[in-house]
């Protein structure tokens, strides 16, 4: 009988370690082809479809919609079929029992071991697998049509690629890890295990992610799995409060809070919401920003009447008019050319030394509120675009971000962020810098306010600009100079908009 191939959830880009399973596109028993989309998953960056690297019959789906899966853990099991559409011949050379888990960091699309003689139908499947289509899923893909797999790591010796039968003596655990292919366990950088140990753990329901390794560097050995298999089962503790015996001298005490009640406040717990996906990524990034960046904030009120009058004049002429945010984006890119310190990044070397990295260009991030949380897609090479071109790209990026279809490149390549929180009806905000950037500019709502114009009081359209910056890359003079540049451009827009 042909082996079942287990496809592990690949790294979906940006070094992400997990993804939430949104939906399956296939069911057990379906016949699938190479590169056919099999599932939709949501990462901290976006929602993507995962294609299958194997053709065959779906044997098992490893996960339910709504479940969070670790990168490198099983996603789907596929049983190969012959070119005639039937299961591979039982007369094929004997194979190890149980499915063979493909390692996450080996040569993609290439079998881990080749038997000396393969059945013709099985060999046909291998050739189909090697051919691939070349379709790539961020950080993963099948090889192109040259019959040669793209390798992601140095070639291992043939000894390391050979997988022995299950008859390996139990008393030689060291040989398991010296002669078998090793794969990395997600979340445990030092723990690598053999396919034989993986299979033993899977058959007995042992969670390798929670198992400490007794080998060198935390290596999980066969003896560790055997110990976990024979370990006594610990019953979970009672969740209901136990009664404390009463005595004549003291009243009974409650040893635990009632179920569904918060122990600290005494209030009923209404709901528990897991922090995952975009919310988890935002929380981690904001916490890192606040812990690493010595930020400072400057702000200024700006008379935006001139900019609004310019837009009204363009509308009256029948021209297609960019949105206000596109105009401000144009002013920001011009300001960053004059004050490039705010368009940088600080990198820390392994020895603790730091350097400021400057960029030849501006990838302008636009903060966008979506149903999945706050995301920041970026307009690449924004300094080269006119206000109209910026407007079109901002609208496109906002739309794909709200659909959850923005790519990791679009969401993770910004060098400076522009945040329009005025749409929420607020005037200002001490924003948190989008790490690893060094500054973020916020724009408040535009409202009527009393303003002095040529010595006389008038009602003008006023907004507030707020700049939060990393004090390590510049001082207040630079930050104030940039903020004043953008403010002056809003008050006198025609000086910078000759190219719209």
């Amino acid at each position: 009988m042909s082996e079942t191939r287990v496809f592990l959830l690949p790294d979906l880009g940006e070094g992400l370690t997990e993804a939430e399973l949104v939906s399956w596109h296939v069911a057990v028993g379906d016949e699938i082809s190479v590169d056919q989309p099999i599932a939709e998953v949501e990462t901290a960056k976006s929602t993507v479809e995962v294609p299958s690297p194997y053709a065959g019959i779906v044997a098992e789906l490893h996960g339910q919609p709504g479940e969070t899966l670790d990168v490198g853990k099983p996603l789907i099991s596929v049983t190969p079929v012959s070119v005639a559409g039937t299961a591979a011949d039982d007369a094929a050379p004997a194979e190890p029992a149980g499915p063979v888990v493909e390692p996450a960091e080996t040569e993609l699309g290439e079998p881990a071991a080749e038997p000396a003689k393969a059945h013709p139908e099985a060999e046909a499947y291998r050739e189909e697998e090697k051919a691939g289509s070349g379709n790539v899923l961020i950080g993963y893909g099948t090889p192109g049509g040259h019959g040669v797999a793209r390798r992601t790591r140095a070639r291992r010796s043939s000894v390391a690629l050979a997988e022995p039968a299950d008859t390996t003596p139990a008393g030689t655990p060291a040989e398991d890890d010296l002669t078998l292919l090793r794969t990395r366990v997600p979340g445990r950088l030092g723990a690598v295990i053999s396919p034989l140990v993986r299979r033993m753990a899977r058959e007995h329901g042992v969670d390798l992610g929670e198992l400490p390794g007794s080998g060198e560097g935390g290596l999980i050995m066969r003896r560790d799995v055997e110990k976990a298999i024979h370990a006594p089962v610990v019953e979970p503790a009672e969740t209901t409060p136990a009664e404390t015996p009463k005595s004549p001298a003291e009243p009974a005490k409650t040893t635990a809070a009632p179920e569904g009640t918060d122990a600290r406040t005494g209030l009923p717990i209404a709901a528990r919401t897991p922090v995952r996906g975009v919310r988890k990524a935002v929380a981690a990034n904001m916490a890192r920003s606040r812990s690493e960046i010595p930020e400072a904030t400057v702000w200024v009120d700006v008379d935006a009447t001139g900019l609004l009058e310019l837009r009204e004049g363009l509308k009256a002429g029948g021209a297609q008019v960019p949105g206000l945010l596109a105009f401000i984006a144009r002013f920001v890119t011009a300001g960053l050319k004059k004050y490039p310190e705010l368009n940088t990044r600080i990198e820390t070397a392994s020895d603790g030394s730091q350097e400021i990295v400057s960029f030849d260009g501006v990838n302008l991030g636009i903060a966008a509120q979506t149903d999945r949380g706050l995301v920041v897609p970026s307009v690449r090479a924004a300094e080269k675009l006119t206000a109209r071109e910026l407007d079109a790209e901002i609208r496109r990026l906002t739309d794909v971000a709200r659909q959850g279809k923005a790519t990791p490149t679009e969401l993770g390549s910004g060098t400076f962020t522009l945040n329009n929180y005025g749409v929420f009806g607020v005037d200002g905000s001490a924003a948190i810098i989008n790490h690893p950037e060094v500054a973020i500019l916020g724009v408040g709502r535009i409202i009527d306010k009393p303003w002095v114009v040529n010595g006389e009081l008038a009602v003008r359209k006023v907004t507030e600009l707020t700049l939060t910056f990393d004090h390590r890359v510049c001082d207040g003079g630079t930050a104030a100079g940039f903020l004043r540049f953008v403010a002056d451009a809003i008050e006198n827009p025609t000086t910078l908009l000759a190219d719209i």
Side-chain angles (χ1 to χ4, degrees):
M1 182 69 66
S2 179
E3 309 174 335
T4 295
R5 315 301 292 260
V6 179
F7 173 43
L8 307 182
L9 180 66
D11 182 355
L12 300 170
E14 301 291 321
L16 299 175
T17 60
E18 64 183 19
E20 180 180 341
L21 180 60
V22 177
S23 62
W24 287 107
H25 295 337
V26 296
V28 173
D30 289 353
E31 183 172 354
I32 61 175
S33 58
V34 174
D35 290 325
Q36 176 180 333
I38 55 174
E40 184 176 43
V41 299
E42 180 182 47
T43 71
K45 297 290 186 181
S46 59
T47 301
V48 296
E49 287 187 331
V50 182
S52 172
Y54 310 127
I57 303 297
V58 177
E60 185 178 357
L61 304 178
H62 301 279
Q64 299 294 327
E67 184 178 347
T68 298
L69 305 177
D70 290 333
V71 169
K73 290 294 181 70
L75 179 65
I76 189 173
S77 297
V78 180
T79 301
V81 294
S82 67
V83 293
T86 59
D89 200 298
D90 291 341
E95 300 284 355
V100 177
V101 178
E102 295 298 316
E105 295 184 332
T106 57
E107 301 168 32
L108 298 177
E110 202 172 87
E114 288 289 342
K117 293 182 180 179
H119 190 278
E121 292 178 347
E123 185 63 33
Y125 168 73
R126 291 191 180 95
E127 290 305 315
E128 175 191 353
E129 184 186 29
K130 288 180 182 180
S133 70
N135 291 349
V136 174
L137 170 71
I138 311 164
Y140 151 79
T142 59
H146 301 290
V148 179
R150 176 178 63 83
R151 67 176 55 254
T152 57
R153 298 183 66 178
R155 180 179 294 275
R156 293 177 174 85
S157 67
S158 58
V159 175
L161 290 174
E163 182 177 341
D166 285 339
T167 57
T168 304
T172 58
E175 294 181 4
D176 294 344
D177 299 284
L178 292 175
T179 61
L180 296 177
L181 175 64
R182 300 174 179 179
T183 57
R184 182 164 59 88
V185 180
R188 298 173 61 85
L189 298 180
V192 289
I193 55 175
S194 73
L196 183 61
V197 177
R198 271 187 185 275
R199 183 162 58 250
M200 180 186 299
R202 181 173 59 252
E203 291 172 352
H204 291 84
V206 176
D207 184 0
L208 294 172
E210 300 297 328
L211 189 65
S214 61
E216 182 179 356
L219 189 70
I220 297 178
M221 311 291 285
R222 168 182 272 185
R223 59 175 175 266
D224 300 321
V225 177
E226 291 175 340
K227 182 179 178 181
I229 293 173
H230 299 296
V233 178
V234 180
E235 295 294 330
E238 293 289 335
T239 56
T240 55
E243 287 190 7
T244 303
K246 297 181 181 180
S247 68
E250 64 175 335
K253 297 179 181 179
T254 301
T255 58
E259 186 175 0
T261 301
D262 179 54
R264 189 179 74 84
T265 63
L267 297 175
I269 296 175
R272 293 182 181 273
T273 304
V275 179
R276 59 190 183 190
V278 171
R279 177 56 54 195
K280 182 177 180 179
V282 170
N285 198 50
M286 296 299 99
R288 182 177 182 183
S289 177
R290 273 287 161 89
S291 65
E292 292 184 8
I293 298 176
E295 61 187 30
T297 303
V298 291
W299 60 91
V300 64
D301 287 338
V302 182
D303 180 3
T305 307
L307 180 57
L308 293 175
E309 289 176 346
L310 172 66
R311 291 189 73 247
E312 290 301 319
L314 293 173
K315 287 181 179 179
Q320 183 179 357
V321 182
L324 285 173
L325 191 62
F327 283 107
I328 297 175
R330 183 71 184 87
F331 303 150
V332 167
T333 58
L336 291 175
K337 287 183 181 179
K338 187 173 183 180
Y339 298 93
E341 298 93 333
L342 297 172
N343 188 51
T344 59
R345 180 177 68 232
I346 286 188
E347 291 185 353
T348 302
S350 57
D351 61 359
S353 62
Q354 294 183 326
E355 60 182 6
I356 299 175
V357 181
S358 301
F359 305 105
D360 184 14
V362 178
N363 287 351
L364 184 62
I366 305 295
Q369 188 67 45
T370 73
D371 293 338
R372 301 171 62 243
L374 183 67
V375 296
V376 188
S378 60
V379 180
R380 298 174 67 83
E383 80 285 357
K384 299 179 181 179
L385 304 182
T386 65
R388 286 196 178 93
E389 292 169 336
L390 283 167
D391 183 66
E393 185 64 1
I394 289 172
R395 292 179 188 276
R396 185 192 71 80
L397 287 171
T398 302
D399 183 56
V400 296
R402 287 174 178 162
Q403 294 179 41
K405 302 297 184 181
T407 66
T409 298
E410 290 171 333
L411 292 174
S413 60
T415 60
F416 183 96
T417 295
L418 176 59
N419 187 2
N420 178 22
Y421 43 70
V423 296
F424 302 115
V426 297
D427 298 324
S429 170
I432 300 176
I433 296 171
N434 185 22
H435 187 280
E437 298 168 15
V438 298
I440 179 172
L441 177 68
V443 183
R445 60 177 179 166
I446 300 177
I447 59 174
D448 290 340
K449 279 188 176 183
W451 198 262
V452 177
V453 180
N454 297 325
E456 295 183 357
L457 192 62
V459 177
R460 306 288 284 184
K461 301 291 185 181
V462 178
T463 186
E464 182 178 285
L465 301 181
T466 307
L467 177 69
T468 302
F469 65 99
D470 187 335
H471 224 313
R472 295 174 298 177
V473 301
C474 69
D475 296 324
T478 299
F482 169 81
L483 189 62
R484 191 65 254 173
F485 178 92
V486 177
D488 290 343
I490 292 174
E491 293 181 344
N492 304 281
T494 55
T495 58
L496 282 175
L497 295 176
D499 60 350
I500 68 168

